[in-house]
């Protein structure tokens, strides 16, 4: 019987995949399986995974015939997994030896739906500990209670799927899959759904995942159209939250976060290709129009002047353009 399934998507990470796989070997156990999903890589990653299928205990290699993106690759892994518990790792990150045994012991001891952990951010040779933004540790809690307040960083602002472990009942209840086709921000609607609909969670102070930042092939470093999938991701957050019985309380948090992400991208718009930058402005303006306007204005009032001004200018230009189109 498989106790833990580890889902690891790989796409063109030949430089980093050997480190990732070595760290998985240092975490292998007889009742662990490693679902290695090759998302149609075009470099040497497939050959590296072929070797892993022979050398890594518990390895199961699954291949996509076309590239689907991280969300779809994770879903493929979830569908192939047979463990009582599931967790994730990205194909360019790595683990400390024995970490998964500690993580499994934590969730079994607490008996909750999911557990969240801290992690180590790695930028070149620098190492920084990133803490899950929830002060109470080793205590089973209601996930909904960790969404608010709206004006502070909370558990839904820490969306990393690999920073935790999840009971299979979340799969059975339709809560663990990601939205197919999202190429970035796929974990935002996912973490919101977990916190709205799961019954129990806990945060533990484990450190064992080493997360690479600044990788050249990462979508966060590439200013192409795939980055704009954050619009679809946050539209989903808003739509689903608006249907929640506690929408009046939760929507200000969702809208404020959406605005903060839009402002962030507009603030670094020079890294986008010109056509993508134009599309970013257009899609962002449309997103502002779709938001509940009373909640939007309250969110903008609560933000710092620079970000609020940037969004208000975009909103005014959008309204002027819409008026001109109607007049024409």
């Amino acid at each position: 019987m498989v106790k833990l399934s580890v889902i690891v998507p790989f796409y063109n990470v030949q430089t980093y995949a050997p480190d990732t796989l070595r760290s998985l070997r240092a975490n292998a156990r007889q009742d662990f399986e490693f679902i290695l999903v090759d998302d149609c890589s075009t470099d040497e990653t497939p050959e590296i995974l072929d070797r892993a299928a022979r050398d890594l205990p518990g390895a199961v290699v699954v291949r996509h015939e076309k590239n689907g993106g991280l969300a779809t690759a994770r879903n493929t892994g979830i569908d192939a997994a047979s463990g009582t518990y599931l967790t994730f790792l990205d194909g360019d990150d790595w683990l400390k030896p024995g970490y998964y045994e500690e993580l499994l012991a934590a969730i079994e001891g607490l008996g909750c739906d999911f557990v969240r952990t801290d992690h180590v951010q790695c930028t070149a040779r620098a190492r920084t500990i990133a803490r899950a933004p929830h002060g109470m540790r080793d205590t089973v809690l209601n996930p909904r209670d960790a969404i608010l307040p709206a004006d502070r960083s909370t558990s839904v602002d820490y969306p990393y799927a690999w920073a935790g472990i999840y009971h299979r009942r979340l799969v059975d209840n339709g809560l663990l899959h990601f939205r197919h086709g999202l190429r970035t921000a796929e974990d935002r609607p996912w973490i919101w759904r977990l916190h709205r609909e799961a019954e129990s969670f806990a945060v533990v102070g484990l450190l064992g995942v080493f997360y690479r930042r600044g990788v050249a092939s990462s979508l966060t470093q590439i200013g192409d159209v795939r980055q704009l999938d954050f619009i679809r991701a946050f539209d989903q957050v808003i739509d689903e939250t608006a249907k929640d019985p506690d929408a009046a309380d939760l929507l200000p948090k969702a809208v404020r976060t959406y605005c903060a992400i839009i402002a962030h991208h507009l603030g670094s718009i020079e890294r986008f290709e010109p056509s993508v930058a134009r599309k970013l402005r257009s899609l962002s303006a449309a997103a502002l129009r779709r938001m509940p306007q009373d909640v939007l204005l309250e969110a903008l009032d609560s933000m710092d002047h620079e970000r609020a001004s940037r969004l208000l200018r975009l909103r005014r230009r959008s309204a002027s353009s819409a008026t001109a189109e109607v007049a024409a």
Side-chain angles (χ1 to χ4, degrees):
M1 182 176 180
V2 175
K3 180 69 74 169
L4 176 66
S5 298
V6 182
I7 296 158
V8 195
F10 293 84
Y11 177 65
N12 288 355
V13 287
Q14 63 180 20
T15 302
Y16 308 109
D19 289 342
T20 303
L21 293 164
R22 275 192 293 271
S23 76
L24 291 175
R25 278 194 290 274
N27 276 270
R29 207 172 82 172
Q30 187 175 5
D31 54 352
F32 290 2
E33 67 177 1
F34 303 105
I35 311 296
L36 313 177
V37 182
D38 177 19
D39 194 19
C40 200
S41 297
T42 57
D43 63 357
E44 298 300 314
T45 299
E47 289 75 18
I48 294 170
L49 295 183
D50 284 341
R51 292 194 293 272
R54 299 189 298 269
D55 301 337
L56 174 62
V60 178
V61 177
V62 183
R63 300 195 187 280
H64 282 174
E65 293 185 0
K66 63 178 182 178
N67 178 258
L70 184 56
T72 299
R74 284 178 175 163
N75 288 341
T76 294
I78 292 169
D79 292 340
S82 58
T84 305
Y85 299 93
L86 295 85
T87 190
F88 302 91
L89 186 68
D90 286 352
D92 52 5
D93 298 335
W94 77 97
L95 309 159
K96 79 170 186 179
Y99 170 66
Y100 281 149
E101 195 155 1
E102 297 176 13
L103 186 61
L104 178 62
I107 193 169
E108 288 188 316
L110 290 161
C112 52
D113 285 344
F114 66 101
V115 163
R116 304 290 283 157
T117 70
D118 305 326
H119 70 275
V120 181
Q121 290 187 358
C122 306
T123 307
R125 295 187 177 183
R127 301 288 185 268
T128 306
I129 294 175
R131 302 286 186 190
H134 195 86
M136 190 174 292
R137 302 290 170 112
D138 304 306
T139 303
V140 178
L141 303 164
N142 184 341
R144 294 176 73 87
D145 294 340
I147 296 175
L148 300 176
D151 60 348
R152 287 174 52 191
S153 182
T154 69
S155 292
V156 291
D157 302 310
Y158 187 80
Y160 313 108
W162 37 258
I165 184 170
Y166 314 90
H167 196 283
R168 170 160 291 279
R169 58 179 167 263
L170 295 175
V171 180
D172 298 337
N173 293 335
L175 300 183
L176 205 63
H177 281 78
F178 297 80
R179 179 175 173 178
H180 274 296
L182 281 182
R183 295 162 294 179
T184 190
E186 75 293 330
D187 43 14
R188 294 292 187 154
W190 176 85
I191 195 69
W192 270 84
R193 186 174 64 243
L194 276 183
H195 276 277
R196 284 194 317 266
E197 300 186 30
E199 294 182 359
S200 59
F201 94 116
V203 181
V204 299
L206 286 179
L207 280 173
V209 178
F210 292 81
Y211 165 48
R212 288 187 204 270
R213 300 200 64 184
V215 174
S217 60
S218 171
L219 275 185
T220 58
Q221 303 297 310
I222 299 172
D224 70 14
V225 71
R226 292 173 293 177
Q227 275 282 338
L228 304 188
D229 275 7
F230 84 90
I231 297 281
R232 292 197 295 140
F234 274 97
D235 278 352
Q236 183 179 347
V237 172
I238 298 295
D239 290 344
E240 292 177 351
T241 304
K243 298 171 185 173
D244 190 275
D246 296 323
D249 296 323
L250 300 181
L251 267 176
K253 172 68 174 178
V255 168
R256 193 180 194 280
T257 305
Y258 197 173
C259 288
I261 299 296
I262 292 174
H264 166 76
H265 284 297
L266 292 175
S268 56
I269 201 167
E270 67 281 351
R271 68 190 176 91
F272 290 95
E273 301 162 4
S275 62
V276 179
R278 289 192 295 272
K279 192 170 185 179
L280 170 61
R281 291 191 186 95
S282 173
L283 291 177
S284 296
L288 292 174
R289 291 197 300 272
R290 287 193 299 273
M291 294 179 199
Q293 294 301 294
D294 55 339
V295 180
L296 172 62
L297 292 175
E298 289 180 9
L300 294 176
D301 283 344
S302 71
M303 297 176 72
D304 62 86
H305 177 74
E306 181 179 355
R307 290 187 300 170
S309 297
R310 187 179 296 146
L311 294 172
L312 284 167
R313 284 195 300 271
L314 182 65
R315 183 171 176 266
R316 283 195 294 269
R317 288 197 199 108
S318 170
S320 299
S321 299
T323 301
E325 289 176 7
V326 170

